């Protein structure tokens, strides 16, 4: 326990040191100021700090000089972004839609009207984002999903410009740069949808406040000994509409509750009706494994996502003599070239689970 506590203190001290060095507060090695961790580490060099200090703030501090056109962004988008977000940024296959739900009126007012429309089906990134710096920063540090931080500065500017063009914020021939990004900020559809009056920002750069917007206190008196649940979903109605966990996307914040009865043999496993056949059980188990090991992040049941659908794979290999061994080996080892240029990395799952998924595919990927 003592070692874990020391490690946590060391990490906290290291973060504080890097921040102080980046701000120019420290110039001497922090280790010289105390002997709690003698001989551990050294002062980070300016280049090492620069490699980590890539965040871009709403006032555009940290934004590198550069530019990128909408046309260039379209080329980068189709090559590196469309497989997850769709050609027009409105796909809901892998991740939530980026574009949609905004209008010219929203660009004029700075408030997205559909955010208050209870009948609108969802919330896209362009509906919620109030700062263009948020888009630039996230694309720069996290995209593309398979190779974060691999985009050049020009490509980040270009992809950001293309995304803004899809949302109608900039024209087709627009070139986004560090010199005009502040003007583009004034056209963000939800630019007036954010407040800084919440005391969550430590400084005064963005007209914040030191007083929290919510004042709460715990009286700790007359607390109930036991909380009574006043409503719940009765057992006879839990699976009236199937398993809600299977009816929600596997990525993003929304999750469905498991509303089917669980088997006693494997706690947490998918429920199997009493009258299910052996084939039904195998299919349910295999589908559950594809979800457990996140195979469905890249493979749809019937539709191509990043990789081919399970239906397409089964259609190619089902019934062949060596299909089981071949598919199990490909699942474990990964590969590239059979279904396109996007590589499938090696998968760290037990051999028995890989063979269960392969057997399901070799049988034609039947639905549970």
């Amino acid at each position: 326990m003592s070692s874990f506590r020391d490690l946590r203190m060391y990490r906290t001290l290291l973060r504080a040191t890097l921040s102080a060095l980046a701000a120019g507060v420290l110039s001497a090695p922090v280790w010289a100021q105390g002997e709690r961790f003698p001989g551990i580490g050294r002062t980070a060099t300016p280049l090492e700090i620069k490699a980590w200090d890539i965040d871009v703030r709403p006032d555009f501090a940290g934004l590198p000089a550069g530019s990128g056109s909408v046309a260039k962004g379209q080329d980068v988008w189709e090559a590196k972004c469309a497989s997850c977000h769709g050609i027009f940024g409105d796909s809901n296959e892998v991740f939530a839609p980026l574009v949609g739900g905004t209008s010219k009126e929203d660009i004029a007012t700075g408030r997205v009207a559909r955010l208050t429309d209870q009948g609108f089906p969802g919330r896209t990134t362009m509906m919620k984002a109030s700062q263009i710096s948020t888009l630039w920063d996230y694309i720069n540090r996290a995209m593309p999903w398979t190779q974060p931080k691999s985009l050049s500065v020009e490509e980040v500017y270009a992809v950001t410009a293309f995304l803004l063009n899809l949302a109608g914020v900039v024209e087709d021939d627009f070139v986004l740069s560090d010199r005009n990004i502040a003007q583009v900020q004034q056209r963000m559809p939800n630019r007036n949808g954010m407040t800084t009056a919440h005391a969550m920002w430590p400084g005064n750069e963005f007209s914040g406040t030191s007083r929290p917007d919510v004042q709460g206190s715990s009286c700790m008196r007359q607390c109930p000994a036991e909380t009574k649940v006043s409503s719940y979903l009765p057992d006879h109605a839990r699976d009236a509409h199937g398993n809600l966990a299977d009816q929600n996307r596997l990525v993003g914040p929304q999750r469905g509750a498991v509303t089917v009865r669980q088997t006693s043999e494997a706690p947490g496993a998918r429920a199997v009706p009493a009258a299910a056949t052996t084939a039904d059980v195998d299919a349910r188990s295999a589908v559950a494994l594809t979800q457990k090991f996140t195979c469905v992040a890249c493979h749809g049941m019937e539709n191509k996502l990043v990789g081919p659908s399970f239906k397409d794979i089964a259609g190619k290999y089902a019934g062949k003599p060596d299909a089981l061994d071949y598919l199990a080996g490909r699942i474990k080892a990964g590969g590239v070239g059979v279904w396109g240029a996007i590589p499938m990395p090696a998968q760290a799952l037990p051999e028995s689970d890989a063979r269960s998924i392969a057997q399901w595919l070799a049988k034609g990927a039947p639905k549970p």
Side-chain angles (χ1 to χ4, degrees):
M1 183 63 72
S2 175
S3 297
F4 176 78
R5 184 165 55 249
D6 288 348
L7 178 59
R8 185 170 57 185
M9 291 177 63
Y10 166 69
R11 287 175 174 171
T12 302
L13 180 60
L14 180 59
R15 292 191 189 100
T17 302
L18 290 174
S19 298
L21 285 167
V25 176
L26 287 180
S27 58
V30 69
W31 317 115
Q33 301 176 16
E35 293 299 325
R36 181 164 177 77
F37 303 104
I40 297 179
R42 60 169 174 78
T43 303
T45 67
L47 287 177
E48 289 171 336
I49 296 171
K50 183 178 180 180
W52 282 93
D53 187 19
I54 64 171
D55 63 294
V56 178
R57 303 197 317 178
D59 59 357
F60 303 114
L63 181 70
S67 64
S69 66
V70 171
K72 170 72 174 180
Q74 182 174 2
D75 293 338
V76 178
W77 184 275
E78 292 177 354
K80 302 181 180 182
C81 311
S83 59
C84 286
H85 299 294
I87 294 296
F88 301 105
D90 57 355
S91 173
N92 194 34
E93 289 289 341
V94 180
F95 297 107
L98 303 180
V99 177
T102 59
S103 65
K104 292 182 178 179
E105 289 74 17
D106 298 335
I107 295 174
T109 63
R111 294 299 299 268
V112 176
R114 280 179 170 163
L115 285 176
T116 59
D117 181 0
Q118 298 297 321
F120 194 72
R123 301 289 183 266
T124 68
T125 297
M126 288 305 302
M127 288 174 65
K128 297 181 290 184
S130 62
Q131 306 295 320
I132 190 175
S133 61
T134 301
L135 299 178
W136 203 103
D137 181 271
Y138 190 77
I139 293 170
N140 182 49
R141 73 173 60 250
M143 293 292 111
W145 188 32
T146 53
Q147 290 181 297
K149 298 185 179 71
S150 64
L151 298 178
S152 67
V153 170
E154 179 192 8
E155 288 176 326
V156 177
Y157 272 109
V159 169
T160 305
F162 181 68
L163 184 60
L164 293 169
N165 175 256
L166 290 176
V169 177
V170 299
E171 301 298 330
D172 294 345
D173 58 352
F174 190 78
V175 178
L176 180 67
S177 71
D178 60 303
R179 297 178 298 278
N180 63 17
I181 195 169
Q183 286 74 39
V184 180
Q185 169 61 36
Q186 299 307 311
R187 290 179 54 80
M188 288 293 287
N190 199 41
R191 61 185 178 277
N192 296 324
M194 184 187 76
T195 178
T196 57
H198 43 53
M200 297 180 67
W201 184 262
N204 297 318
E205 295 91 335
F206 308 115
S207 304
T209 176
S210 59
R211 182 178 176 82
D213 58 342
V214 175
Q215 305 294 320
S217 61
S218 300
C219 68
M220 302 305 292
R221 296 190 304 272
Q222 299 177 348
C223 300
E226 181 180 357
T227 301
K228 289 187 176 181
V229 179
S230 59
S231 64
Y232 67 98
L233 191 63
D235 290 341
H236 69 272
R238 287 187 65 83
D239 57 354
H241 299 283
N243 187 8
L244 295 183
D246 292 335
Q247 299 171 32
N248 284 263
R249 296 168 62 252
L250 296 176
V251 292
Q254 290 84 9
R255 292 291 187 273
V258 177
T259 56
V260 292
R261 295 179 178 85
Q262 305 296 319
T263 60
S264 58
E265 296 84 5
R270 301 285 180 179
V272 179
T277 65
T278 301
D280 292 334
V281 175
D282 292 342
R284 285 180 180 273
S285 300
V287 171
L289 289 173
T290 65
Q291 295 170 344
K292 176 181 178 181
F293 296 108
T294 327
C295 307
V296 290
C298 292
H299 302 281
M301 289 298 170
E302 297 185 356
N303 298 316
K304 178 183 182 299
L305 299 181
V306 179
S309 69
F310 292 127
K311 181 179 179 180
D312 291 339
I313 298 172
K316 184 173 184 178
Y317 296 106
K320 294 187 176 180
D322 300 326
L324 174 58
D325 292 335
Y326 174 78
L327 290 170
R330 290 302 295 247
I331 291 171
K332 290 282 290 182
V336 64
V338 177
W339 296 94
I342 299 178
M344 172 180 164
Q347 304 298 309
L349 76 168
E351 179 70 23
S352 58
D353 291 339
R355 292 188 69 83
S356 295
I357 297 173
Q359 185 177 33
W360 171 65
L361 293 169
K363 290 181 179 179
K367 294 183 179 180

